Amino acid sequence: VKLAESGGGLMQAGSSLSLSCELIDSTFNNYLMAWFRQTPGKEREFLAYINWKSGISEWPDSVRGRATVSRDNAKKMVHFQLNNLKPEDSAIYYCAADPWSVMGTSADDFHYWGQGTQVTVSS
């Protein structure tokens, strides 16, 4: 299982971040797909998950109202959007997948990870 993220880069405060994750070489019928972010010296922070088959999704309170997550089953892609960006949203953003997790919100719940994409928000 391989994950390939795209998007990110240098963003302006107040703008919207759009990230995509392609599921490559998938071998399972269903996955829980998720987005995390990490800053130096901190643990990976859960941002959202979506169940590949059911479309059930969840976000933590820290980004609720600003974040959306969706999937395109035909293209095997998951999309994440974060609106009204703030400088504190600067981090490396990761896509994650797991065929066994049902409602994982911890990095330990996910076996497969993308390489990460840097997002820097300037004020």
Side-chain angles (χ1 to χ4, degrees), residues 51-68:
N51 183 284
W52 193 264
K53 277 192 173 181
S54 69
I56 293 174
S57 54
E58 187 56 73
W59 308 261
D61 290 340
S62 60
V63 296
R64 193 178 301 277
R66 291 202 297 143
T68 59

Side-chain angles (χ1 to χ4, degrees), residues 1-19:
V1 177
K2 297 180 181 179
L3 302 172
E5 298 126 335
S6 59
L10 181 62
M11 312 290 296
Q12 292 291 322
S15 66
S16 295
L17 171 68
S18 294
L19 300 175

